[in-house]
Amino acid sequence: MPLFDMPLDQLRNYTSSAVEPEDFDDFWDRTIAEARQFPLDAVYAPAENHLSVIDSFDVSYAGFGGARIKGWLHLPANRDAGRALPVVVQYVGYSGGRGLVQQDTKWAQAGYAHFIMDTRGQGYGGSLGESADPHPSAGDVAYAGLMTRGLSSREDYYYRRVFVDAFRAIEAVQNHPEVDASKVLLAGLSQGGGLAIAAAGLAAGRLDGVLCTMADVPFLQDFPRAVDIAPRGPYLEVAGFLARHRDRYEPALAVLNYFDGVHLGRRATAPALFSVALMDDVCPPSTVFAAYNAYGTGEAAGPGARMGEAAPRAVPAKAIEVYRFNNHEGGQEHHWVSQLRYVAELLGR
């Protein structure tokens, strides 16, 4: 795959053309408030993983609309009794779920608590999933896949539910007695990176304890450009839908605008490590740089934030690793090493 997007020097200064809705914060204030009307009811049941060095727990909690969302919590078996651990909350790529219990324990192997959120309605590709999406809009007119599910309304759009699930995953893991609620690190690749950005933005001003965001080749960023230029992957679901529903381009983009990671990430206050692959034809590099350049540049949201009560703040420290000759696989094991170093430095280890 050749370089198909902007040259790197232009990418470093690229910003999205998307203009956030005037009621963007009101919409998310109301959405989070509605979600919190349902008791979190986080449950952690010991799970057999056949691993001698990792203890695992089968987790469930109330996500959007009170629907039960599952996850895995992994802890190092040799942890010190009574010592709470920093936790990495990991979100999964498009079509994947939380997987088998022993499938991914890498952060626990490194000495951290490791929480993997199952993604509602997914788990049919990549890794196994077990959380249903019971929302009525799942039966609306849509293109095959999830990107256009509920696209007729911001209230019903699929990612409204998933973003809430991602936010409540932080609340759920913070309730575990062996997790240090003040040291939450958000991570994910592709869709998972997009969810990490969304969760960081939603947490700012609403939830304490998020220390960083690690967004690896993130999806769900800069929708106007992504839908226009991505030649492969889930953005094509939106293009395919609009190819048939020719009169719905502007209404569809208006809905997607409430879920653009560029806007949500702008509100984040935690430091961030991004990655981008310059040959990525699933999440084009310009869309990743749009998210990176916007990240942390706005005010934190939350009740009162738009009333002049939020003090001016500096842009949080952020960095981006560039993988020039890679496609959507990004940096893979090499970037994992970068993340390990990043987290260790952040926590002073």
Side-chain angles (χ1 to χ4, degrees):
M1 179 70 193
L3 297 173
F4 73 99
D5 208 335
M6 302 174 186
L8 182 57
D9 58 345
Q10 293 181 27
L11 289 170
R12 291 195 184 279
N13 297 302
Y14 170 73
T15 56
S16 173
S17 65
V19 178
E20 65 184 51
E22 291 185 2
D23 63 346
F24 185 86
D25 287 323
D26 289 330
F27 172 74
W28 284 109
D29 284 344
R30 175 170 54 82
T31 295
I32 297 300
E34 290 175 3
R36 282 175 159 170
Q37 291 177 5
F38 294 89
L40 187 62
D41 189 26
V43 177
Y44 298 86
E48 176 57 65
N49 61 19
H50 306 287
L51 302 174
S52 60
V53 296
I54 303 293
D55 293 333
S56 297
F57 299 84
D58 189 351
V59 183
S60 69
Y61 64 94
F64 181 91
R68 299 304 293 180
I69 304 300
K70 298 183 76 65
W72 296 122
L73 176 64
H74 304 298
L75 301 173
N78 66 348
R79 62 194 181 278
D80 296 333
R83 177 172 169 264
L85 296 172
V87 61
V88 175
V89 177
Q90 178 182 334
Y91 305 107
V92 182
Y94 189 78
S95 82
R98 65 175 181 168
L100 301 179
V101 64
Q102 61 280 99
Q103 190 166 346
D104 184 358
T105 62
K106 63 183 182 181
W107 284 105
Q109 294 174 49
Y112 305 99
H114 182 188
F115 181 84
I116 304 175
M117 186 191 85
D118 206 23
T119 310
R120 67 164 64 209
Q122 298 190 32
Y124 54 86
S127 53
L128 180 69
E130 299 180 81
S131 300
D133 180 19
H135 196 272
S137 70
D140 196 4
V141 173
Y143 193 85
L146 298 161
M147 286 296 294
T148 62
R149 182 172 291 179
L151 188 55
S152 60
S153 163
R154 65 181 187 175
E155 308 294 332
D156 293 335
Y157 187 52
Y158 171 73
Y159 278 101
R160 183 183 186 219
R161 305 190 288 279
V162 178
F163 286 3
V164 167
D165 296 344
F167 174 84
R168 300 221 85 188
I170 302 172
E171 295 182 310
V173 78
Q174 285 180 319
N175 274 273
H176 194 278
E178 295 190 78
V179 165
D180 187 338
S182 69
K183 295 178 180 178
V184 179
L185 309 108
L186 308 178
L189 181 148
S190 191
Q191 175 186 256
L195 295 182
I197 292 169
L202 291 174
R206 299 185 179 97
L207 188 64
D208 294 331
V210 175
L211 287 190
C212 77
T213 306
M214 293 180 283
D216 196 0
V217 292
F219 179 48
L220 305 170
Q221 315 299 311
D222 193 8
F223 282 116
R225 182 164 176 82
V227 170
D228 276 357
I229 74 166
R232 184 170 69 95
Y235 288 124
L236 290 182
E237 295 175 18
V238 180
F241 178 81
L242 295 175
R244 174 49 54 195
H245 299 275
R246 295 172 173 84
D247 59 342
R248 294 183 63 174
Y249 174 74
E250 290 184 0
L253 266 291
V255 170
L256 291 172
N257 205 21
Y258 286 90
F259 305 93
D260 200 319
V262 169
H263 305 326
L264 285 160
R266 186 176 289 119
R267 287 152 172 78
T269 56
L273 176 64
F274 278 63
S275 79
V276 62
L278 297 192
M279 294 185 179
D280 190 343
D281 58 353
V282 173
C283 295
S286 55
T287 68
V288 176
F289 270 99
Y292 174 74
N293 290 328
Y295 184 91
T297 60
E299 289 185 347
R306 295 170 310 288
M307 305 300 293
E309 298 177 15
R313 62 180 177 83
V315 175
K318 57 186 179 181
I320 186 166
E321 296 276 355
V322 177
Y323 298 99
R324 183 176 183 86
F325 296 104
N326 290 97
N327 202 306
H328 195 53
E329 75 278 2
Q332 295 179 308
E333 66 275 11
H334 298 277
H335 193 62
W336 161 236
V337 174
S338 295
Q339 290 178 327
L340 283 170
R341 291 172 176 161
Y342 176 76
V343 172
E345 182 178 352
L346 187 69
L347 295 174
R349 290 192 166 191

